[in-house]
Amino acid sequence: MTLTLHAYWRSSASYRVRIALNLKGLPYAVVPVNLVREGGEHRRDDYLARNPQGLVPTLEVDGVPLTQSLAILEWLEEEHPLPPLLPRDPISRARARSFALAIACEVSPLSNLMVREYLDRVLKLDAAAQQAWHAYWIGRGLAACEAMIAGDNGPFCFGEAPTIADCVLVPQLYNARRFGIDLAGFPALLRAEAAMLALPAVQRAAPEAQPDAA
Amino acid sequence: MTLTLHAYWRSSASYRVRIALNLKGLPYAVVPVNLVREGGEHRRDDYLARNPQGLVPTLEVDGVPLTQSLAILEWLEEEHPLPPLLPRDPISRARARSFALAIACEVSPLSNLMVREYLDRVLKLDAAAQQAWHAYWIGRGLAACEAMIAGDNGPFCFGEAPTIADCVLVPQLYNARRFGIDLAGFPALLRAEAAMLALPAVQRAAPEAQPDAA
């Protein structure tokens, strides 16, 4: 099975999939998709044929394109179950998925490149208003995520091993720092992040470790 | 197993879960959560203890709260696999999940109540600018979803039976009409919606069929 990941180094969703692929020890080729050069390679017809949303990442499996990072993570879990990225019992699986979705649905979509362009070019918000927008949604989302795992012992979000929750958390905290968000109020999230960043598989997934890092 | 759904009649995410519960023929009690009365029942401490994001729905399973509609749908699929709401083969499962996530991550979050309040109260956008915002994100998202299933034969999003994609599509089209979006350009989506709305289980999940419908 040949895996080809179409990704952008600094995209949170691309980073999630790299972490999962690396944790499962799967080899894959990377095709960089430059979102910012000349209007964006993600808007070209050949890319849209693979990914009609024009988003990264796309994982091609023997040439068949899979889109949406969380759908890709579920596919990986079904086809390459070891090591697992979901807990064993159904309630714990639901909690890990809920944490991942809380970031993927209520945090990331409000600060992604498309939204930043709209705030800037259509609403013409000044820099302070744009920063306030990002700080509001990221802060609110991370506070909920902190509450979701504050009662757990760690070291990862949900116990002794990484799950999809951790795969989504690490890129979100990376993104939060880009926006200058103070993370001191989220000790459980920082604990899980530290456990993840200690793993070589996660280190190799870092944006700065990618071939297209600028 | 006792199932209690904390929901708001017009919330898209609540509607998704009602459809799935009804399709699987599972009995459940509904506890209405009024999002608009007196600052919102979802902001009360007793509700936040169940759902730290302060969002609907929450599905309590023998008193254990599960949050995030797509995590609830995956839990339902694992615990009550029949009738299935995911296709059998892994690539088709990934496609159905990707379609559901394309709506749940890139459309719904940009028009939900929290965002509408921010556009209104913080950014103080006028009615036309608010409408343009919703039309942009809903139109863009639905166009991508249309492309994702335009090559399929239906009648549902992915074949002869409903999947999680259809459970997410129906509430999104209901929501799009609230915002006055012209849906004529999305024939494949309308075809799948019609197949869904012909099912009594889906009809019983409609917002207007709920006890708290205003």
Side-chain angles (χ1 to χ4, degrees), chain A residues 67-68 78 93 98 106 114, chain B residues 67-68 93 98 106 140:
Chain A
T67 62
Q68 281 287 342
E78 293 182 348
R93 294 164 75 85
S98 179
E106 267 84 46
M114 292 190 301
Chain B
T67 62
Q68 280 288 341
R93 294 164 75 85
S98 178
E106 267 84 45
R140 183 187 175 104

Side-chain angles (χ1 to χ4, degrees), chain A residues 53 55 67-68 71 74 78-79 90 93 97-98 101-102 104-106 109-110 114 118 133 136-137 140 144, chain B residues 53 55 67-68 71 74-75 78-79 90 93 97-98 101-102 104-106 109-110 114 118 133 136-137 140 144:
Chain A
Q53 287 190 280
L55 297 175
T67 62
Q68 281 287 342
E74 295 280 351
E78 293 182 348
E79 289 291 280
R93 294 164 75 85
R97 285 182 170 124
S98 179
L101 286 161
C105 294
E106 267 84 46
L110 293 159
M114 292 190 301
Y118 196 101
W133 168 278
Y136 180 79
W137 297 113
R140 183 187 177 106
Chain B
Q53 287 191 279
L55 297 175
T67 62
Q68 280 288 341
E74 294 280 352
W75 177 86
E78 292 182 349
E79 289 291 278
R93 294 164 75 85
R97 284 182 170 124
S98 178
L101 286 160
C105 294
E106 267 84 45
L110 293 159
M114 292 190 301
Y118 196 101
W133 168 278
Y136 180 77
W137 297 113
R140 183 187 175 104

